[in-house]
Amino acid sequence: MDHVDILIVGAGIAGLRALYSLRGAGFDVRVAEASDELGGVWNHNRYPGARCDVESYDYSYSFSSELEQEWTWTERYPRQPEILSYLNHVADRFDLRKDITFNARATSADYDEEAARWNVAFEDGSRLSCRRLILCLGQLSAPKTPDYPGQERFRGETIVSAQWPRREIDFRGKRVGIIGTGSSGMQMTPVIAEVAERVTVFQRTANYSVPAANAPLTDEEIHEVKANYAARREMTRNSPTGLGFQPGKVRTLDVDPQEREKVFEAAYNRYGFGFALAYPDILLDPEANAVASEFLRRKIGERVNDPEVRAKLLPVTHGFGTRRPTVDSGYYEAFNRGNVELADIRATPIVEFTETGIRTAEKDYPLDFIIYATGFDALTGALLKPRITGRHGLTLKEKWARGPITQLGLGTAGFPNLLIVGGPGSPTVLSNVMVSTELQVDWLTDLMKTLRAEGIEEIEVSPEAEQAWNAHVAERVSETLYMTADSFYNGGEVKGKPRVFMPYSGGVRHYRRLLETCATGGYSGFELR
Ligand code: N01
């Protein structure tokens, strides 16, 4: 069996960054990547219109000022191919590929208590032993697909948005059905509608979306960002979300309606995702949330011509932001085209798939393509795919059967020398993941250096610490409105998944302080031996 000091699983944003930092610190480190390419979600989500809804310059690594200066983003919100080129550029620029093994899907990891090592097995039968195992498996990387009667009968092509084929797909003259109206469905709808003969969007839940106000970056904007990167980074790390804006200071209802309208209008037109921060209490106070939700419903309504379609597109099942809102480029306007229709499958559910399309309780939709833009088994899905067995034969799946439990999102008791980036219990999907990932990786790198310097064989989360952390995660979310809706944040939309709020809602800035306190306190909450 091959041996390595540190094995990182996953060569997405987190895995690449961890490789760069740990190798730079002199560790013997290797990355195992399931795909034949790096990039994680940006490798797999190649659907038309895929782009990031965080601004390009904020969705970039901060570890090298040379890299910051030499890479020039072209748009405010970068498209998937541009992000993938960026990640490839980073890999080439820092010679990361030589330590990545591609086509290496980890299927299991077993902790050998006597040797204090992890034995990792891969799909091709190979094995690797490592002292420390770092899981960088992504938050939204285990796609989930629907389960409708007759799916196998459909004779057209079925595509999963998060496993988009690499070949060119020609939608010209085709009838395309899109199931799902989260970010993926909303991003692809207007783009596919430009070429397809007909697009039918199958909507179960109307969602809130704010226009992206996307545009090519001007020379002045690029200059401004590059000249002030350090300050910008500091600002994002000190913000609640890792995004480039701070929340408003006054409470929503303490402002008179005309003034509030102006603030909402400005945030709506410029901020994209940051609309949620126009006032600090939009996700905390039901009345504030109701006012913001109403504003957005009005705005959505203004974008749709047909009154019947408009009524169906207005979100009414939940408050703005309690499920992940989206940032779109022309989603609602697409319904004003002659070739886009909305199938409201909450009112008239899908009954079955047929050989030629989808039958709902209302009618038959003949289709050539069906696209599942139906989301992910978020946060725990990818972590629980390999069979990970810690002390006393306990698997991670068994340990987390009633929901994930961690210390600071970084590890869990009974699984020594196993560390997680971007996992449950950290800001993860509630943040700009570039920022939260870099915070965690820098912290882990310092931890590894300390373990090496002090000759520490094992690090393991203490059971008391993880209980306390989970209680804190639950307490923080209880101050918010997040649990008022089922979402991928709380597992409520996956059958059989425990309904537990998984990310840490206390904000990036606070989380950063907690990481520092943990480290300066001798890695409190972890047992070092
Ligand atoms: O997935 P989603 P997504 N029958 O879970 C519907 C990131 N992302 O891939 O609401 C019919 O948001 C489901 O309906 P409902 C980003 O974090 C980022 O779109 O459960 N419909 C919902 O409408 C994003 O939030 C970018 O009733 C079914 C949709 O499918 C996250 O990934 C771009 C169904 C799933 O929406 C996920 O986005 C894209 C069924 N059986 C994605 N099952 C960026 O820009 C589910 N649905 C960075």
Side-chain angles (χ1 to χ4, degrees), residues 42 45 47 49-54 59 77-78 83 140 144-148 161-162 179-187 202-207 273 317-318 323-327 345-346 350 372-376 429 486-489 493:
W42 297 110
N45 286 263
Y47 59 81
R51 61 171 82 240
C52 185
D53 48 17
V54 171
Y59 199 81
Y77 294 107
I83 301 170
L140 296 154
K144 66 180 171 63
T145 52
D147 187 15
Y148 286 114
S161 64
I179 305 182
T181 52
S183 300
S184 306
M186 283 196 180
Q187 285 182 341
F202 294 87
Q203 172 193 274
R204 193 166 68 178
T205 308
N207 203 356
F273 208 38
T317 53
H318 60 287
R323 314 180 84 212
R324 182 155 177 317
T326 69
V327 175
I345 55 169
R346 185 171 289 258
I350 293 177
Y372 297 143
T374 42
F376 301 87
V429 290
D486 284 342
S487 69
F488 67 70
Y489 301 143
E493 35 50 295

Coordinates of all heavy atoms in Angstrom, one line a residue, residues 42 45 47 49-54 59 77-78 83 140 144-148 161-162 179-187 202-207 273 317-318 323-327 345-346 350 372-376 429 486-489 493, ligand 1:
W42 N -17.4 23.1 -10.4 CA -17.2 23.9 -11.6 C -16.8 23.1 -12.8 O -16.7 23.5 -13.9 CB -16.3 25.1 -11.4 CG -16.9 26.0 -10.3 CD1 -16.4 26.2 -9.0 CD2 -18.0 26.8 -10.5 NE1 -17.3 27.1 -8.4 CE2 -18.2 27.5 -9.3 CE3 -18.9 27.1 -11.5 CZ2 -19.3 28.4 -9.1 CZ3 -20.0 27.9 -11.3 CH2 -20.2 28.6 -10.1
N45 N -20.8 21.1 -13.3 CA -22.0 21.9 -13.6 C -21.7 22.8 -14.9 O -21.5 24.0 -14.8 CB -22.4 22.9 -12.4 CG -23.0 22.1 -11.3 OD1 -24.2 22.0 -11.2 ND2 -22.2 21.5 -10.5
Y47 N -23.8 23.2 -17.4 CA -25.1 23.5 -18.1 C -25.1 24.9 -18.7 O -24.3 25.8 -18.2 CB -26.3 23.3 -17.1 CG -26.3 24.2 -15.9 CD1 -26.7 25.5 -15.9 CD2 -25.8 23.7 -14.7 CE1 -26.7 26.3 -14.8 CE2 -25.8 24.5 -13.5 CZ -26.3 25.8 -13.6 OH -26.3 26.6 -12.5
G49 N -25.6 28.6 -19.3 CA -25.9 29.7 -18.3 C -25.3 29.6 -17.0 O -25.5 30.5 -16.1
A50 N -24.6 28.5 -16.7 CA -24.0 28.3 -15.3 C -23.0 29.4 -15.0 O -22.1 29.7 -15.8 CB -23.3 27.0 -15.2
R51 N -23.3 30.1 -13.9 CA -22.3 31.1 -13.5 C -22.4 31.3 -12.0 O -23.3 30.8 -11.4 CB -22.5 32.4 -14.2 CG -23.9 33.1 -14.1 CD -23.9 34.5 -14.7 NE -24.1 34.6 -16.1 CZ -23.2 35.1 -17.0 NH1 -22.0 35.6 -16.5 NH2 -23.5 35.2 -18.3
C52 N -21.4 32.0 -11.5 CA -21.4 32.2 -10.0 C -22.2 33.4 -9.7 O -22.3 34.4 -10.4 CB -19.9 32.4 -9.6 SG -19.7 32.5 -7.9
D53 N -22.9 33.3 -8.5 CA -23.7 34.5 -8.1 C -23.0 35.3 -7.0 O -23.6 36.1 -6.3 CB -25.1 34.1 -7.7 CG -25.2 32.9 -6.8 OD1 -24.2 32.6 -6.2 OD2 -26.3 32.4 -6.7
V54 N -21.7 35.0 -6.9 CA -20.8 35.9 -6.1 C -19.9 36.6 -7.1 O -19.5 36.0 -8.1 CB -19.9 35.1 -5.1 CG1 -18.9 35.9 -4.4 CG2 -20.8 34.4 -4.1
Y59 N -14.8 35.9 -5.6 CA -14.8 34.5 -5.7 C -13.5 34.1 -6.3 O -13.4 33.4 -7.3 CB -16.0 34.0 -6.6 CG -16.4 32.6 -6.4 CD1 -17.2 32.2 -5.4 CD2 -16.0 31.6 -7.3 CE1 -17.6 30.9 -5.2 CE2 -16.3 30.3 -7.2 CZ -17.2 29.9 -6.1 OH -17.5 28.6 -6.0
Y77 N -20.2 38.8 -12.7 CA -20.5 37.4 -12.3 C -19.9 36.4 -13.3 O -20.4 36.4 -14.4 CB -22.0 37.2 -12.1 CG -22.7 38.0 -11.0 CD1 -23.5 39.1 -11.3 CD2 -22.5 37.7 -9.7 CE1 -24.0 39.8 -10.3 CE2 -23.0 38.4 -8.7 CZ -23.8 39.5 -9.0 OH -24.4 40.2 -8.0
P78 N -18.9 35.7 -12.9 CA -18.2 34.9 -13.9 C -19.0 33.6 -14.4 O -19.7 33.0 -13.6 CB -16.9 34.5 -13.2 CG -17.3 34.4 -11.7 CD -18.4 35.5 -11.6
I83 N -14.5 30.3 -14.6 CA -14.1 29.9 -13.3 C -13.2 28.6 -13.4 O -12.2 28.5 -12.7 CB -15.3 29.6 -12.3 CG1 -16.1 30.9 -12.2 CG2 -14.8 29.1 -11.0 CD1 -17.4 30.6 -11.5
L140 N -22.3 21.1 -2.2 CA -23.5 20.9 -3.1 C -22.9 20.1 -4.3 O -22.8 20.5 -5.4 CB -24.0 22.2 -3.6 CG -24.6 23.0 -2.4 CD1 -24.6 24.5 -2.7 CD2 -26.1 22.6 -2.1
K144 N -29.2 15.2 -6.4 CA -30.3 14.3 -6.1 C -31.3 14.5 -7.3 O -31.4 15.6 -7.9 CB -31.0 14.6 -4.8 CG -31.7 15.9 -4.6 CD -32.3 16.0 -3.3 CE -32.8 17.4 -3.0 NZ -33.9 17.9 -3.8
T145 N -31.9 13.4 -7.7 CA -32.8 13.4 -8.9 C -34.1 12.9 -8.4 O -34.2 12.1 -7.5 CB -32.2 12.5 -10.0 OG1 -31.9 11.2 -9.5 CG2 -31.0 13.1 -10.6
P146 N -35.2 13.3 -9.2 CA -36.5 12.9 -8.7 C -36.8 11.4 -9.0 O -36.1 10.7 -9.7 CB -37.4 13.8 -9.6 CG -36.6 14.3 -10.7 CD -35.2 14.2 -10.3
D147 N -37.9 11.0 -8.5 CA -38.3 9.6 -8.6 C -39.8 9.6 -9.0 O -40.7 9.5 -8.2 CB -38.1 9.0 -7.2 CG -38.3 7.5 -7.2 OD1 -38.3 6.9 -8.3 OD2 -38.5 6.9 -6.1
Y148 N -40.0 9.7 -10.3 CA -41.4 9.7 -10.8 C -41.7 8.4 -11.5 O -40.8 7.8 -12.1 CB -41.6 10.8 -11.8 CG -41.6 12.2 -11.1 CD1 -40.6 13.1 -11.4 CD2 -42.7 12.5 -10.3 CE1 -40.7 14.4 -10.7 CE2 -42.8 13.7 -9.7 CZ -41.8 14.7 -9.9 OH -41.8 15.9 -9.3
S161 N -28.4 18.4 -14.3 CA -27.7 19.7 -14.5 C -26.3 19.6 -13.8 O -25.3 20.2 -14.4 CB -28.4 20.8 -13.9 OG -28.6 20.7 -12.5
A162 N -26.1 18.9 -12.7 CA -24.9 18.9 -12.0 C -23.9 17.8 -12.5 O -22.9 17.5 -11.9 CB -25.1 18.7 -10.5
I179 N -36.9 20.5 -14.9 CA -37.5 20.3 -13.6 C -36.7 21.0 -12.5 O -35.5 20.6 -12.4 CB -37.7 18.8 -13.3 CG1 -38.5 18.1 -14.4 CG2 -38.4 18.6 -12.0 CD1 -38.7 16.6 -14.2
G180 N -37.2 21.9 -11.8 CA -36.5 22.6 -10.7 C -36.3 24.1 -11.0 O -35.9 24.4 -12.2
T181 N -36.5 24.9 -10.0 CA -36.4 26.3 -10.2 C -35.5 26.9 -9.1 O -35.8 28.0 -8.5 CB -37.8 27.0 -10.2 OG1 -38.5 26.5 -9.0 CG2 -38.6 26.6 -11.4
G182 N -34.5 26.2 -8.8 CA -33.4 26.9 -7.9 C -32.5 27.6 -8.8 O -32.8 27.9 -10.0
S183 N -31.2 27.9 -8.3 CA -30.3 28.6 -9.1 C -30.0 28.0 -10.5 O -30.0 28.7 -11.5 CB -28.9 28.7 -8.4 OG -29.1 29.3 -7.2
S184 N -29.9 26.6 -10.5 CA -29.5 26.0 -11.7 C -30.6 26.1 -12.8 O -30.4 26.5 -13.9 CB -29.2 24.5 -11.5 OG -28.3 24.3 -10.5
G185 N -31.9 25.8 -12.4 CA -33.0 25.9 -13.3 C -33.2 27.3 -13.8 O -33.4 27.6 -15.0
M186 N -33.1 28.3 -12.9 CA -33.3 29.7 -13.3 C -32.2 30.2 -14.2 O -32.4 31.0 -15.0 CB -33.4 30.5 -12.0 CG -34.7 30.4 -11.3 SD -34.8 31.9 -10.2 CE -36.4 31.6 -9.4
Q187 N -31.0 29.7 -14.0 CA -29.9 30.2 -14.8 C -30.0 29.6 -16.2 O -29.7 30.3 -17.2 CB -28.5 29.8 -14.2 CG -28.1 30.6 -13.0 CD -26.8 30.2 -12.5 OE1 -26.2 29.2 -12.7 NE2 -26.2 31.1 -11.7
F202 N -40.9 23.1 -15.1 CA -41.8 22.4 -14.2 C -41.4 22.9 -12.8 O -40.4 22.6 -12.2 CB -41.5 20.9 -14.2 CG -42.0 20.3 -15.6 CD1 -41.2 20.3 -16.7 CD2 -43.3 19.9 -15.7 CE1 -41.6 19.8 -17.9 CE2 -43.7 19.3 -16.9 CZ -42.9 19.3 -18.0
Q203 N -42.3 23.8 -12.2 CA -42.0 24.5 -11.0 C -42.9 23.9 -9.8 O -44.1 23.8 -9.9 CB -42.4 25.9 -11.1 CG -42.3 26.7 -9.8 CD -43.0 28.1 -9.9 OE1 -42.3 29.0 -10.3 NE2 -44.2 28.2 -9.6
R204 N -42.1 23.4 -8.8 CA -42.8 22.9 -7.6 C -43.0 24.0 -6.6 O -44.0 24.2 -5.9 CB -42.1 21.7 -7.0 CG -42.8 21.0 -6.0 CD -42.2 19.6 -5.7 NE -40.9 19.8 -5.0 CZ -40.2 18.7 -4.6 NH1 -40.6 17.5 -4.8 NH2 -39.1 18.9 -4.0
T205 N -41.9 24.8 -6.5 CA -42.0 26.0 -5.5 C -41.5 27.2 -6.2 O -40.3 27.2 -6.7 CB -41.1 25.6 -4.3 OG1 -41.5 24.4 -3.7 CG2 -41.3 26.7 -3.2
A206 N -42.3 28.2 -6.2 CA -41.8 29.5 -6.7 C -40.7 30.1 -5.8 O -40.9 30.0 -4.6 CB -43.0 30.5 -6.9
N207 N -39.7 30.6 -6.4 CA -38.5 31.1 -5.6 C -38.3 32.6 -5.7 O -38.8 33.1 -6.7 CB -37.3 30.3 -6.1 CG -36.2 30.2 -5.1 OD1 -36.3 30.7 -4.0 ND2 -35.1 29.5 -5.5
F273 N -27.3 39.1 -4.6 CA -27.5 38.3 -3.4 C -27.6 39.2 -2.1 O -28.2 38.9 -1.1 CB -26.3 37.4 -3.3 CG -26.6 36.1 -2.6 CD1 -27.9 35.5 -2.7 CD2 -25.7 35.6 -1.8 CE1 -28.1 34.3 -2.0 CE2 -25.9 34.4 -1.1 CZ -27.1 33.8 -1.2
T317 N -44.8 30.4 -0.5 CA -44.8 29.3 0.5 C -43.8 29.6 1.6 O -43.7 28.9 2.6 CB -44.3 28.0 -0.2 OG1 -43.1 28.3 -1.0 CG2 -45.4 27.5 -1.2
H318 N -42.9 30.6 1.4 CA -41.9 30.9 2.4 C -41.4 32.3 2.3 O -41.7 33.0 1.3 CB -40.7 29.9 2.2 CG -40.0 30.1 0.8 ND1 -40.6 29.6 -0.4 CD2 -38.9 30.6 0.4 CE1 -39.8 29.9 -1.4 NE2 -38.8 30.5 -0.9
R323 N -35.1 30.0 2.3 CA -34.5 29.1 1.4 C -33.5 29.9 0.6 O -33.7 31.1 0.4 CB -35.5 28.4 0.5 CG -36.7 27.9 1.2 CD -37.7 27.3 0.3 NE -37.4 25.9 0.2 CZ -37.6 25.2 -0.9 NH1 -38.1 25.7 -2.0 NH2 -37.2 23.9 -1.0
R324 N -32.5 29.2 0.0 CA -31.5 30.0 -0.7 C -32.2 30.8 -1.9 O -32.7 30.2 -2.8 CB -30.4 29.1 -1.3 CG -29.3 30.1 -2.0 CD -28.1 29.5 -2.0 NE -26.9 30.0 -2.6 CZ -26.7 30.6 -3.7 NH1 -27.7 30.9 -4.5 NH2 -25.5 30.9 -4.1
P325 N -32.1 32.1 -1.9 CA -32.6 32.9 -3.0 C -31.7 32.8 -4.2 O -30.5 32.3 -4.0 CB -32.7 34.3 -2.5 CG -31.7 34.3 -1.4 CD -31.5 32.9 -0.9
T326 N -32.1 33.2 -5.3 CA -31.2 33.1 -6.5 C -30.9 34.5 -7.0 O -31.6 35.5 -6.7 CB -31.8 32.2 -7.6 OG1 -32.9 32.9 -8.1 CG2 -32.2 30.9 -7.0
V327 N -29.9 34.6 -7.9 CA -29.6 35.8 -8.6 C -29.7 35.4 -10.1 O -29.0 34.5 -10.5 CB -28.1 36.2 -8.2 CG1 -27.7 37.4 -9.0 CG2 -28.1 36.5 -6.7
I345 N -46.4 22.5 -11.0 CA -46.6 21.1 -10.6 C -46.9 21.0 -9.1 O -47.0 19.9 -8.6 CB -45.4 20.1 -11.0 CG1 -44.1 20.7 -10.4 CG2 -45.3 19.9 -12.5 CD1 -42.9 19.7 -10.5
R346 N -47.1 22.1 -8.5 CA -47.6 22.1 -7.1 C -49.2 22.0 -7.3 O -49.8 21.2 -6.6 CB -47.3 23.3 -6.3 CG -47.7 23.3 -4.9 CD -47.2 24.5 -4.2 NE -45.7 24.3 -3.9 CZ -45.2 24.0 -2.8 NH1 -46.0 23.7 -1.7 NH2 -43.9 23.8 -2.6
I350 N -46.8 16.2 -11.4 CA -46.4 15.3 -12.4 C -47.0 13.9 -12.0 O -46.8 13.5 -10.8 CB -44.8 15.2 -12.5 CG1 -44.3 16.5 -13.0 CG2 -44.4 14.0 -13.3 CD1 -42.7 16.5 -13.1
Y372 N -32.9 17.5 -15.2 CA -33.1 17.6 -13.8 C -32.3 18.6 -13.2 O -31.0 18.5 -13.1 CB -32.8 16.2 -13.1 CG -33.6 15.0 -13.5 CD1 -33.0 13.8 -13.7 CD2 -35.0 15.1 -13.8 CE1 -33.7 12.7 -14.1 CE2 -35.7 14.0 -14.2 CZ -35.1 12.8 -14.3 OH -35.8 11.7 -14.7
A373 N -32.9 19.8 -12.8 CA -32.1 20.8 -12.0 C -32.7 20.7 -10.6 O -33.2 21.7 -10.1 CB -32.4 22.2 -12.7
T374 N -32.6 19.5 -10.0 CA -33.4 19.2 -8.8 C -32.5 19.3 -7.6 O -33.0 18.7 -6.5 CB -34.1 17.9 -9.0 OG1 -33.2 17.0 -9.6 CG2 -35.3 18.0 -9.9
G375 N -31.4 19.8 -7.6 CA -30.6 20.1 -6.4 C -29.8 19.0 -5.9 O -29.4 18.0 -6.6
F376 N -29.4 19.1 -4.6 CA -28.4 18.3 -4.0 C -28.8 17.7 -2.7 O -29.6 18.3 -2.0 CB -27.1 19.1 -3.9 CG -26.6 19.6 -5.2 CD1 -27.0 20.9 -5.7 CD2 -25.7 19.0 -6.0 CE1 -26.6 21.4 -6.9 CE2 -25.2 19.5 -7.2 CZ -25.7 20.7 -7.6
V429 N -22.3 27.1 3.1 CA -23.3 27.6 2.1 C -23.9 28.9 2.4 O -24.6 29.5 1.6 CB -24.3 26.6 1.7 CG1 -23.7 25.4 0.9 CG2 -25.1 26.1 2.9
D486 N -38.6 24.4 4.8 CA -37.8 23.3 4.5 C -36.8 23.7 3.4 O -37.2 24.4 2.4 CB -38.6 22.1 3.9 CG -39.4 21.4 5.0 OD1 -39.0 21.5 6.2 OD2 -40.4 20.7 4.6
S487 N -35.5 23.3 3.5 CA -34.5 23.8 2.5 C -33.4 22.9 2.5 O -33.3 22.0 3.4 CB -34.1 25.2 2.9 OG -33.3 25.1 4.1
F488 N -32.4 23.1 1.6 CA -31.2 22.3 1.7 C -30.3 22.7 2.8 O -29.4 22.0 3.2 CB -30.5 22.2 0.3 CG -29.9 23.5 -0.2 CD1 -28.7 24.0 0.4 CD2 -30.3 24.1 -1.3 CE1 -28.1 25.1 0.0 CE2 -29.7 25.2 -1.8 CZ -28.6 25.7 -1.2
Y489 N -30.6 23.8 3.5 CA -29.9 24.1 4.7 C -30.2 23.2 5.8 O -29.4 22.9 6.7 CB -30.2 25.5 5.2 CG -30.0 26.7 4.2 CD1 -30.9 27.7 4.2 CD2 -28.9 26.7 3.4 CE1 -30.7 28.8 3.3 CE2 -28.6 27.8 2.6 CZ -29.5 28.9 2.5 OH -29.3 29.9 1.7
E493 N -35.8 19.1 2.6 CA -36.3 18.7 1.2 C -35.8 17.3 0.8 O -36.0 16.9 -0.4 CB -36.2 19.8 0.2 CG -34.9 20.7 0.2 CD -33.6 19.9 0.3 OE1 -33.4 19.3 1.3 OE2 -32.8 20.0 -0.6
Ligands
N01_1 O1 -30.8 23.3 -6.5 P1 -31.9 23.8 -5.5 P2 -29.9 24.1 -7.6 N1 -39.9 17.3 -8.5 O2 -32.0 22.8 -4.4 C1 -36.9 21.2 -7.3 C2 -25.6 26.4 -5.8 N2 -25.6 26.9 -7.1 O3 -29.1 23.2 -8.3 O4 -38.3 24.0 -4.0 C3 -39.9 18.6 -8.9 O5 -31.8 25.2 -5.2 C4 -36.9 22.0 -6.1 O6 -38.3 22.3 -5.8 P3 -38.7 22.6 -4.2 C5 -26.3 27.4 -4.9 O7 -25.9 27.4 -3.6 C6 -24.9 28.0 -7.2 O8 -30.8 25.0 -8.4 O9 -37.9 21.6 -3.4 N3 -39.1 19.5 -8.5 C7 -36.2 23.3 -6.5 O10 -36.9 24.1 -7.3 C8 -27.7 26.9 -5.1 O11 -28.6 27.4 -4.2 C9 -24.8 28.6 -8.4 O12 -40.2 22.4 -4.2 C10 -38.1 19.1 -7.7 C11 -35.1 22.7 -7.4 O13 -35.6 21.4 -7.8 C12 -27.5 25.4 -5.0 O14 -26.3 25.2 -5.8 C13 -25.5 28.1 -9.5 C14 -38.0 17.8 -7.2 C15 -33.8 22.5 -6.7 O15 -33.2 23.7 -6.4 C16 -28.5 24.5 -5.5 O16 -29.1 25.0 -6.7 C17 -26.2 26.9 -9.4 C18 -38.9 16.9 -7.7 N4 -38.9 15.6 -7.3 C19 -26.2 26.3 -8.1 N5 -36.9 17.7 -6.4 C20 -24.0 29.8 -8.4 O17 -24.3 30.7 -9.1 C21 -36.4 19.0 -6.3 N6 -37.1 19.8 -7.1 C22 -22.8 29.9 -7.5

